[in-house]
Amino acid sequence: MLVVLSPAKKLDMSEVDTTATDPQFADDAKALAKTARGLTQKDLQKLMGISENLAKLNADRFKSFGTMETKPAALAFAGDTYTGLEAASLDPEEMDYAQDHLRILSGLYGLLRPRDAIEPYRLEMGSRLKTRRGKSLYDYWGDRIAKALNAQADTLGTDTLVNCASQEYFGAVKPDALNLRVITPVFMEEKPDGPKVVSFFAKQARGAMARFIVQNRLTDPDSLTDFDTGGYRHRPDLSEPDKPAFVRPQDAA
């Protein structure tokens, strides 16, 4: 199986002693950074819906893109999903497996492997950044991300993609170009009025599911229902076809 994650806004660019690889769409990242470099700080603030200070930070990053320190993507992203993934604690063989079976969707880099070197950036997939390919990053990436996933799945001999990404990011994977079965796990917390999706915990669980797939070398989609990290349990009664539901008791959070 292949599994995809969203990136994170929060980054940890502290130095690590490990080998990094080159992103597949590195040239596109440079082109997008060049486009973003042409925007004013106010333009970036409006485009991303961020504060003045964050707009300045990211304007400076785009100006310096291509010269900044890099770090493997799975170790650089530090948001809730990556708390669940815990990439730094994967052993070398598990990271080797993740390099082949885990992909990170990115507004700037398109598609990343865990060890792919990235520079610090912020550019959400939903950004309406105008380029020669259209009015948004969805237009820019077109069907190329889906085709890249198809190619990797073909290399692995699998027909299954586990979607642990957000709707914003998975929207960049064009369904009419994707030749794979898509399974999208749903993670919920038990509440007095019934199970509910809580964004913070769901993000962590998506990362934990990716880790579960990597550590157990899963190949059979039915084995996803064995996921029990953090107290989650599969709930067939709440599941839909290709949308297995997992619920965690309130006292397990």
Side-chain angles (χ1 to χ4, degrees):
M1 288 186 285
L2 270 176
V3 56
V4 292
L5 293 175
S6 301
K9 297 173 185 176
K10 184 178 179 182
L11 298 170
D12 174 6
M13 297 303 294
S14 58
E15 188 175 349
V16 293
D17 182 18
T18 187
T19 302
T21 51
D22 295 327
Q24 178 177 356
F25 297 110
D27 289 343
D28 291 280
K30 292 175 184 176
L32 286 171
K34 183 178 180 180
T35 298
R37 193 181 303 137
L39 301 178
T40 66
Q41 185 175 313
K42 286 188 176 181
D43 289 337
L44 282 176
Q45 187 174 356
K46 182 178 179 181
L47 177 73
M48 299 185 184
I50 54 179
S51 68
E52 185 176 337
N53 287 341
L54 281 176
K56 182 181 185 308
L57 170 65
N58 285 283
D60 291 341
R61 284 173 171 173
F62 286 126
K63 288 177 183 177
S64 301
F65 195 83
T67 65
M68 294 181 289
E69 292 295 322
T70 63
K71 188 173 181 179
L75 302 178
F77 293 124
D80 301 328
T81 296
Y82 294 86
T83 300
L85 179 63
E86 295 182 88
S89 67
L90 294 173
D91 67 35
E93 289 186 357
E94 289 168 342
M95 278 296 287
D96 288 343
Y97 188 87
Q99 185 77 352
D100 289 334
H101 293 81
L102 172 62
R103 294 293 180 268
I104 302 168
L105 303 168
S106 165
L108 184 65
Y109 287 94
L111 197 64
L112 291 161
R113 296 170 296 176
R115 288 191 175 116
D116 281 351
I118 65 168
E119 297 184 48
Y121 79 96
R122 177 166 174 167
L123 188 65
E124 286 88 346
M125 187 64 81
S127 298
R128 298 190 66 80
L129 180 67
K130 293 181 181 179
T131 70
R132 57 187 173 82
R133 291 179 177 153
K135 297 180 180 180
S136 70
L137 290 178
Y138 296 118
D139 292 337
Y140 181 84
W141 290 111
D143 62 4
R144 291 185 297 155
I145 293 175
K147 287 182 175 179
L149 290 170
N150 288 338
Q152 181 60 15
D154 186 59
T155 298
L156 297 173
T158 184
D159 64 356
T160 303
L161 176 69
V162 182
N163 170 28
C164 289
S166 66
Q167 291 182 354
E168 174 187 354
Y169 279 89
F170 201 69
V173 182
K174 301 300 182 186
D176 56 350
L178 190 68
N179 302 327
L180 305 173
R181 173 188 177 187
V182 177
I183 298 176
T184 305
V186 179
F187 301 99
M188 293 181 279
E189 310 299 311
E190 193 67 71
K191 298 292 183 182
D193 56 345
K196 304 290 183 184
V197 174
V198 178
S199 178
F200 170 76
F201 294 122
K203 289 177 182 179
Q204 288 186 331
R206 290 177 197 146
M209 173 62 86
R211 182 183 178 88
F212 180 75
I213 292 169
V214 167
Q215 289 193 308
N216 292 282
R217 314 290 202 273
L218 298 188
T219 58
D220 180 3
D222 290 340
S223 60
L224 293 172
T225 60
D226 293 332
F227 177 76
D228 60 359
T229 303
Y232 285 97
R233 293 292 185 271
H234 179 232
R235 286 283 298 271
D237 58 312
L238 298 175
S239 300
E240 300 177 19
D242 290 337
K243 289 186 177 181
F246 300 84
V247 179
R248 181 168 60 170
Q250 202 164 17
D251 58 0

